[in-house]
Amino acid sequence: MEKASTAPERGTRPRNRRALILAAAADLFAQRGYPQVSMTDVAKAVSVQPSALYRHFPGKGELLREAVAENLQPVVESVIQAPDGDLDQLVLSLGRALLEHRGNGVLWERESRHLPPAVRFDIASGAKYAISSKLQSGTAALPAAEADLRAWAMFAVMVSVSWHPNRLSKADEETHLATLARTVIDMPLPPIKESDHRAGAALSVPRSRREALLTAAIRQFATSGFDAVSLDDIGADVGIAGPGIYRHFSNKAEMLAAALYRATEVRWMDLSRALSEAADSSAALQRILSSHISFSLSCPEFLQLAVSERQHVPERDLQNLLEAQNDYVADVASLVQDAYPGTDQEVVRVRVKAALHVISSVVRTPFLRDIRGIQDILEDLAWGIMVPAADQGATS
């Protein structure tokens, strides 16, 4: 995340100190994660004593709330100021605001989970509901359920650059993100029906003690966050005391790494199977998308962990996981290029990253995840984002 300003010299009292504190806090929360940042860290970043922070903010929780809201506000305003019914202006304004504040996507999507649920929902979903409201206005107004889905997907496309930097120029990036956002708005989709109101996907408890522990850890980490869960909590969930846990896992971080490695291996196995069984690159790509979405919908906890908790795994494991993710994107992008040659490699990667982020965003949002037929809808959305429109008509 870009810093709005450099820290003032110690002993000075700038008039915009509150804004400097918020900018420094947002930067630190996005880089390190909220639990790893103290008020002392924020004070040091703005060259003041910790006591000076408390003149502006009662505590770290309030600092996070205001940092998230402050950084989201320009994006919300860019949507609100777009004229009703002018989708081109909506896409242009939103894209520019998100690119200008591109690092904030990590703050909104990952760190806002540390806020109280009602506060988190109001702040972190503000931009998406603003987009949905615009899609429900004008001469081509969409029904509310469809507008919500397209708004979430459009936002996910544009914020994907926060998580996955690319090598495009700023102008090219703005152009391609605008194209993808319009794709999400304009592409035909099956009817969006009301949610089934199913209970969230529940992981069954295996008989193996190691697997039972891992299943409990995945569920608790995804629900409460890594820092809020203890080994005793995990053991109690499956009736295993402390010493029994250590026979299988040394610590929580090892459990989290095991969960993320497992999700990674599932994707690679599906990709390998598709390559060996599909008739051509296009068919393989369709199989990979279908299996990726099916697994994500059945086990949304894995996507939640990948977004909000992976910074807790040991550094070596984190690097391995990030490399595996980059390799997966590269292989999927290669399939797109094999099936539909002629598109720049980096552009294809931007498309693939955006499509995967749309899947992640929708799956991690319960009321969207439970839409009837969401598997087919997500397949259509992801395909439309990955494959250039000019080539889609050529598919058999």
Side-chain angles (χ1 to χ4, degrees), residues 214-231:
L214 186 57
T215 298
I218 291 169
R219 183 189 301 113
Q220 292 194 34
F221 291 156
T223 302
S224 303
F226 181 86
D227 289 289
V229 176
S230 69
L231 282 175

Side-chain angles (χ1 to χ4, degrees), residues 6-335:
T6 57
E9 293 183 8
R10 186 172 293 277
T12 64
R13 185 170 294 179
R15 293 182 178 179
N16 65 336
R17 173 164 285 170
R18 193 173 190 280
L20 292 173
I21 292 171
L22 283 173
D27 184 64
L28 289 170
F29 292 150
Q31 285 185 16
R32 303 181 191 175
Y34 174 78
Q36 280 69 49
V37 176
S38 67
M39 293 291 271
T40 299
D41 294 327
V42 178
K44 183 178 179 181
V46 291
S47 302
V48 299
Q49 294 296 322
S51 58
L53 267 61
Y54 291 98
R55 298 191 190 107
H56 301 279
F57 305 97
K60 195 172 74 161
E62 181 67 17
L63 183 54
L64 175 64
R65 185 190 71 79
E66 295 212 28
V68 174
E70 180 81 9
N71 281 271
L72 185 60
Q73 192 56 36
V75 178
V76 175
E77 289 177 356
S78 75
V79 176
I80 293 173
Q81 292 170 4
D84 289 350
D86 190 341
L87 297 183
D88 287 330
Q89 185 59 46
L90 171 64
V91 167
L92 182 64
S93 299
L94 177 63
R96 286 178 176 172
L98 283 169
L99 287 174
E100 183 177 348
H101 302 275
R102 61 189 301 148
N104 294 343
V106 176
L107 183 70
W108 304 329
E109 293 196 315
R110 189 185 72 199
E111 300 310 317
S112 65
R113 74 168 299 165
H114 298 288
L115 296 169
V119 174
R120 178 176 71 241
F121 188 82
D122 287 344
I123 296 177
S125 298
K128 299 169 189 177
Y129 279 118
I131 298 169
S132 179
S133 178
K134 290 295 181 181
L135 297 182
Q136 294 176 58
S137 65
T139 57
L142 298 176
E146 181 178 349
D148 284 347
L149 177 63
R150 291 186 189 266
W152 255 252
M154 177 179 165
F155 188 86
V157 161
M158 291 187 164
V159 84
S160 64
V161 297
S162 297
W163 294 92
H164 310 292
N166 57 65
R167 294 185 290 272
L168 295 178
S169 69
K170 183 176 180 180
D172 285 343
E173 190 172 50
E174 186 175 304
T175 298
H176 289 300
L177 288 180
T179 298
L180 294 182
R182 280 311 303 250
T183 297
V184 167
I185 293 174
D186 297 333
M187 69 177 296
L189 291 175
I192 310 300
K193 299 179 181 178
E194 292 184 1
S195 301
D196 288 330
H197 301 293
R198 301 189 302 267
L203 300 177
S204 58
V205 179
R207 293 186 179 182
S208 160
R209 287 198 163 196
R210 184 183 189 280
E211 289 303 304
L213 285 167
L214 186 57
T215 298
I218 291 169
R219 183 189 301 113
Q220 292 194 34
F221 291 156
T223 302
S224 303
F226 181 86
D227 289 289
V229 176
S230 69
L231 282 175
D232 287 340
D233 294 331
I234 296 168
D237 200 357
V238 293
I240 300 176
I245 298 174
Y246 291 113
R247 293 192 188 100
H248 305 284
F249 297 98
S250 300
N251 50 50
K252 291 193 303 175
E254 186 178 327
M255 288 180 167
L256 178 59
L260 294 176
Y261 277 125
R262 174 158 299 178
T264 298
E265 290 305 317
V266 167
R267 295 191 184 103
W268 279 114
M269 288 175 65
D270 285 344
L271 187 146
S272 178
R273 187 180 300 114
L275 292 176
S276 65
E277 296 178 357
D280 54 35
S281 296
S282 179
L285 186 61
Q286 290 173 331
R287 287 194 182 197
I288 290 166
L289 271 181
S290 180
S291 60
H292 177 85
I293 293 168
S294 179
F295 173 71
S296 299
L297 288 170
S298 64
C299 302
E301 296 90 348
F302 287 106
L303 289 180
Q304 184 60 56
L305 295 183
V307 168
S308 62
E309 308 301 332
R310 71 183 184 189
Q311 73 270 25
H312 296 292
V313 302
E315 182 63 27
R316 181 175 180 180
D317 291 314
L318 179 58
Q319 290 305 313
N320 289 339
L321 289 164
L322 291 176
E323 287 178 11
Q325 177 183 336
N326 290 335
D327 289 343
Y328 181 81
V329 168
D331 276 13
V332 174
S334 294
L335 279 176

